[in-house]
Amino acid sequence: MGKELRVIISGGGTGGHIFPAISIANAIKAEHPEARILFVGAEGRMEMQRVPAAGYPIKGLPICGFDRKHIWKNIAVLWKIFRSRQMARKIILDFKPMVAVGVGGYASGPTLNMAGSMGIPTLIQEQNSYAGVTNKLLAKKADKICVAYEGMERFFPKEKIILTGNPVRQGLLNPSLTQPEAVKAFGLNPNLKTILLIGGSLGARTLNDSVLEQLDLIRDSDVQFIWQTGGYYFKQIQERLPPQRKPANLFITDFIGRMDEAYKAADLVISRAGAGSISELCLLGKPAILVPSPNVAEDHQTKNALALVEKKAALYVKDDEAKGRLIRIAVNTVMQPELLNRLSRNIATLAFTRSAENIAAEVYKLAEAYRQNQ
């Protein structure tokens, strides 16, 4: 079969799936520059833009999730699943991968299911502390399952599990600026404590509403905020918060391109509890207040957050209590150095430093075994 390594990586839908996928691809290329890597995503989802921007080709499938509110609409969904399986088969036949990697998201289901049925070894990467439905189904035939939390044998066959942690975005660990310089980059005062508020790549309504409900508290505090609203909400927030009402200690943006600088500037981070965000906070040792989204499958963000809270590695505010409590708790927390230090120490102990490289090594082992058997 020659020396060339060919890998399919499938999944996406959110940054929490896409960033780890790209990190795994980069780790494979770093160790095996000759490797050819093809992504398979879902048409219309963010991976169709983010993956090419990272320098990798991608094929799209017409896959989508089931509509639990309108059951009759799932006739069309079943047709899309059938079409996606057929398209995945053709992609695999044309590309001839030696291994297929699933990172979660709609596209990983038909792609890995088809790869496994065609004798291609498969590896799935489960980012959360509570396994998703797709990965639980794929695990039955998967060769390896890379996880980020202990105790995942309650979802997966124990002999297949490898504890690797979640890969994070490259560049976060080595920011070019000091903390005062990073704070100044956002036009803020390096002598004040800084809170970073991020709602994921799409934004989070509850976090945004929590800020809008507490503008007077923010204005009167000795704390400053970097607030990423998400592109979906940015225009609405601009309409609700004209320049004359915006507190001087509040920096607002729809998207932060340099997350390394934002994390560096922050004394405290307010975040949803997606697996990718938590992995970044662990790796950077950032004190955090987690506000899990209730709008995710099987409430896995709450389970992610509680896994940290049990180890005294983060604070936790329920989504339905955030508007009235979140900003006040954050302002009080960031003014307590001992609490910040304790949270930082505890969350740092949960970090995995070479997740992408370790997953890439497992991918290569599967590919080599497949190649030798051909």
Side-chain angles (χ1 to χ4, degrees), residues 119-138:
I120 309 297
T122 61
L123 177 148
I124 59 177
Q125 197 246 330
E126 174 56 61
Q127 290 119 14
N128 294 292
S129 62
Y130 194 91
V133 173
T134 300
N135 275 350
K136 282 191 279 190
L137 293 172
L138 292 173

mmCIF file of all heavy atoms in Angstrom, residues 119-138:
data_model
loop_
_atom_site.group_PDB
_atom_site.id
_atom_site.type_symbol
_atom_site.label_atom_id
_atom_site.label_comp_id
_atom_site.label_asym_id
_atom_site.label_seq_id
_atom_site.Cartn_x
_atom_site.Cartn_y
_atom_site.Cartn_z
ATOM 1 N N GLY A 119 -14.252 -2.520 7.196
ATOM 2 C CA GLY A 119 -13.003 -3.080 7.697
ATOM 3 C C GLY A 119 -11.924 -2.073 8.020
ATOM 4 O O GLY A 119 -10.776 -2.453 8.293
ATOM 5 N N ILE A 120 -12.276 -0.784 8.017
ATOM 6 C CA ILE A 120 -11.320 0.262 8.368
ATOM 7 C C ILE A 120 -11.308 0.422 9.883
ATOM 8 O O ILE A 120 -12.374 0.570 10.504
ATOM 9 C CB ILE A 120 -11.698 1.612 7.724
ATOM 10 C CG1 ILE A 120 -11.944 1.468 6.224
ATOM 11 C CG2 ILE A 120 -10.640 2.675 8.019
ATOM 12 C CD1 ILE A 120 -10.758 1.044 5.435
ATOM 13 N N PRO A 121 -10.152 0.416 10.546
ATOM 14 C CA PRO A 121 -10.127 0.617 12.000
ATOM 15 C C PRO A 121 -10.638 2.007 12.366
ATOM 16 O O PRO A 121 -10.423 2.969 11.622
ATOM 17 C CB PRO A 121 -8.652 0.445 12.368
ATOM 18 C CG PRO A 121 -7.896 0.645 11.107
ATOM 19 C CD PRO A 121 -8.796 0.209 9.989
ATOM 20 N N THR A 122 -11.310 2.109 13.503
ATOM 21 C CA THR A 122 -11.878 3.383 13.927
ATOM 22 C C THR A 122 -11.472 3.730 15.357
ATOM 23 O O THR A 122 -11.306 2.843 16.198
ATOM 24 C CB THR A 122 -13.424 3.372 13.836
ATOM 25 O OG1 THR A 122 -13.943 2.357 14.710
ATOM 26 C CG2 THR A 122 -13.883 3.097 12.414
ATOM 27 N N LEU A 123 -11.326 5.024 15.582
ATOM 28 C CA LEU A 123 -11.021 5.561 16.907
ATOM 29 C C LEU A 123 -12.004 6.686 17.171
ATOM 30 O O LEU A 123 -12.220 7.543 16.304
ATOM 31 C CB LEU A 123 -9.587 6.081 16.958
ATOM 32 C CG LEU A 123 -9.108 6.745 18.261
ATOM 33 C CD1 LEU A 123 -7.602 6.495 18.462
ATOM 34 C CD2 LEU A 123 -9.361 8.264 18.272
ATOM 35 N N ILE A 124 -12.623 6.694 18.338
ATOM 36 C CA ILE A 124 -13.506 7.808 18.694
ATOM 37 C C ILE A 124 -12.918 8.568 19.867
ATOM 38 O O ILE A 124 -12.241 8.001 20.725
ATOM 39 C CB ILE A 124 -14.946 7.356 19.010
ATOM 40 C CG1 ILE A 124 -14.998 6.363 20.167
ATOM 41 C CG2 ILE A 124 -15.599 6.781 17.768
ATOM 42 C CD1 ILE A 124 -16.419 5.972 20.542
ATOM 43 N N GLN A 125 -13.169 9.864 19.852
ATOM 44 C CA GLN A 125 -12.694 10.727 20.932
ATOM 45 C C GLN A 125 -13.915 11.339 21.613
ATOM 46 O O GLN A 125 -14.675 12.089 21.001
ATOM 47 C CB GLN A 125 -11.780 11.822 20.377
ATOM 48 C CG GLN A 125 -10.931 12.491 21.446
ATOM 49 C CD GLN A 125 -11.283 13.960 21.664
ATOM 50 O OE1 GLN A 125 -11.723 14.647 20.769
ATOM 51 N NE2 GLN A 125 -11.062 14.436 22.869
ATOM 52 N N GLU A 126 -14.123 10.950 22.874
ATOM 53 C CA GLU A 126 -15.252 11.460 23.652
ATOM 54 C C GLU A 126 -14.752 12.569 24.564
ATOM 55 O O GLU A 126 -13.925 12.335 25.445
ATOM 56 C CB GLU A 126 -15.891 10.333 24.475
ATOM 57 C CG GLU A 126 -16.987 10.795 25.416
ATOM 58 C CD GLU A 126 -18.106 11.560 24.720
ATOM 59 O OE1 GLU A 126 -18.770 10.980 23.844
ATOM 60 O OE2 GLU A 126 -18.303 12.748 25.057
ATOM 61 N N GLN A 127 -15.241 13.792 24.340
ATOM 62 C CA GLN A 127 -14.722 14.938 25.079
ATOM 63 C C GLN A 127 -15.357 15.127 26.453
ATOM 64 O O GLN A 127 -14.756 15.731 27.338
ATOM 65 C CB GLN A 127 -14.955 16.212 24.240
ATOM 66 C CG GLN A 127 -14.096 16.292 23.010
ATOM 67 C CD GLN A 127 -14.923 16.331 21.735
ATOM 68 O OE1 GLN A 127 -16.121 16.560 21.772
ATOM 69 N NE2 GLN A 127 -14.277 16.104 20.612
ATOM 70 N N ASN A 128 -16.589 14.638 26.617
ATOM 71 C CA ASN A 128 -17.353 14.952 27.820
ATOM 72 C C ASN A 128 -17.278 13.862 28.882
ATOM 73 O O ASN A 128 -16.888 12.730 28.611
ATOM 74 C CB ASN A 128 -18.816 15.189 27.437
ATOM 75 C CG ASN A 128 -18.979 16.433 26.581
ATOM 76 O OD1 ASN A 128 -18.776 17.549 27.043
ATOM 77 N ND2 ASN A 128 -19.327 16.250 25.315
ATOM 78 N N SER A 129 -17.707 14.228 30.078
ATOM 79 C CA SER A 129 -17.737 13.263 31.177
ATOM 80 C C SER A 129 -18.956 12.361 31.085
ATOM 81 O O SER A 129 -19.046 11.356 31.782
ATOM 82 C CB SER A 129 -17.743 13.995 32.521
ATOM 83 O OG SER A 129 -18.911 14.794 32.645
ATOM 84 N N TYR A 130 -19.906 12.731 30.225
ATOM 85 C CA TYR A 130 -21.095 11.913 29.984
ATOM 86 C C TYR A 130 -21.163 11.665 28.489
ATOM 87 O O TYR A 130 -21.330 12.599 27.709
ATOM 88 C CB TYR A 130 -22.355 12.621 30.481
ATOM 89 C CG TYR A 130 -23.558 11.717 30.573
ATOM 90 C CD1 TYR A 130 -23.839 11.030 31.750
ATOM 91 C CD2 TYR A 130 -24.395 11.531 29.482
ATOM 92 C CE1 TYR A 130 -24.934 10.188 31.836
ATOM 93 C CE2 TYR A 130 -25.489 10.688 29.560
ATOM 94 C CZ TYR A 130 -25.759 10.024 30.748
ATOM 95 O OH TYR A 130 -26.837 9.187 30.833
ATOM 96 N N ALA A 131 -21.019 10.427 28.078
ATOM 97 C CA ALA A 131 -20.874 10.109 26.650
ATOM 98 C C ALA A 131 -22.119 10.446 25.859
ATOM 99 O O ALA A 131 -23.256 10.241 26.318
ATOM 100 C CB ALA A 131 -20.543 8.627 26.489
ATOM 101 N N GLY A 132 -21.907 10.947 24.638
ATOM 102 C CA GLY A 132 -23.001 11.252 23.743
ATOM 103 C C GLY A 132 -23.578 9.996 23.110
ATOM 104 O O GLY A 132 -22.937 8.939 23.074
ATOM 105 N N VAL A 133 -24.808 10.120 22.599
ATOM 106 C CA VAL A 133 -25.517 8.972 22.024
ATOM 107 C C VAL A 133 -24.742 8.392 20.843
ATOM 108 O O VAL A 133 -24.576 7.168 20.729
ATOM 109 C CB VAL A 133 -26.933 9.390 21.578
ATOM 110 C CG1 VAL A 133 -27.610 8.237 20.831
ATOM 111 C CG2 VAL A 133 -27.766 9.796 22.775
ATOM 112 N N THR A 134 -24.257 9.265 19.948
ATOM 113 C CA THR A 134 -23.546 8.785 18.759
ATOM 114 C C THR A 134 -22.320 7.974 19.147
ATOM 115 O O THR A 134 -22.089 6.875 18.624
ATOM 116 C CB THR A 134 -23.133 9.963 17.853
ATOM 117 O OG1 THR A 134 -24.302 10.662 17.433
ATOM 118 C CG2 THR A 134 -22.371 9.471 16.635
ATOM 119 N N ASN A 135 -21.523 8.502 20.074
ATOM 120 C CA ASN A 135 -20.309 7.788 20.474
ATOM 121 C C ASN A 135 -20.615 6.483 21.203
ATOM 122 O O ASN A 135 -19.884 5.499 21.073
ATOM 123 C CB ASN A 135 -19.416 8.678 21.331
ATOM 124 C CG ASN A 135 -18.512 9.559 20.491
ATOM 125 O OD1 ASN A 135 -18.413 9.391 19.276
ATOM 126 N ND2 ASN A 135 -17.852 10.511 21.114
ATOM 127 N N LYS A 136 -21.705 6.448 21.959
ATOM 128 C CA LYS A 136 -22.067 5.196 22.639
ATOM 129 C C LYS A 136 -22.419 4.112 21.620
ATOM 130 O O LYS A 136 -22.092 2.942 21.805
ATOM 131 C CB LYS A 136 -23.235 5.437 23.610
ATOM 132 C CG LYS A 136 -22.798 6.089 24.918
ATOM 133 C CD LYS A 136 -23.893 6.076 25.969
ATOM 134 C CE LYS A 136 -24.891 7.191 25.758
ATOM 135 N NZ LYS A 136 -25.822 7.326 26.901
ATOM 136 N N LEU A 137 -23.067 4.512 20.532
ATOM 137 C CA LEU A 137 -23.392 3.553 19.478
ATOM 138 C C LEU A 137 -22.140 3.124 18.716
ATOM 139 O O LEU A 137 -21.948 1.944 18.424
ATOM 140 C CB LEU A 137 -24.417 4.166 18.520
ATOM 141 C CG LEU A 137 -25.812 4.420 19.101
ATOM 142 C CD1 LEU A 137 -26.667 5.205 18.113
ATOM 143 C CD2 LEU A 137 -26.497 3.105 19.468
ATOM 144 N N LEU A 138 -21.281 4.098 18.400
ATOM 145 C CA LEU A 138 -20.065 3.797 17.639
ATOM 146 C C LEU A 138 -19.065 2.967 18.445
ATOM 147 O O LEU A 138 -18.257 2.225 17.876
ATOM 148 C CB LEU A 138 -19.390 5.099 17.191
ATOM 149 C CG LEU A 138 -20.139 5.937 16.146
ATOM 150 C CD1 LEU A 138 -19.430 7.260 15.932
ATOM 151 C CD2 LEU A 138 -20.254 5.170 14.831
#
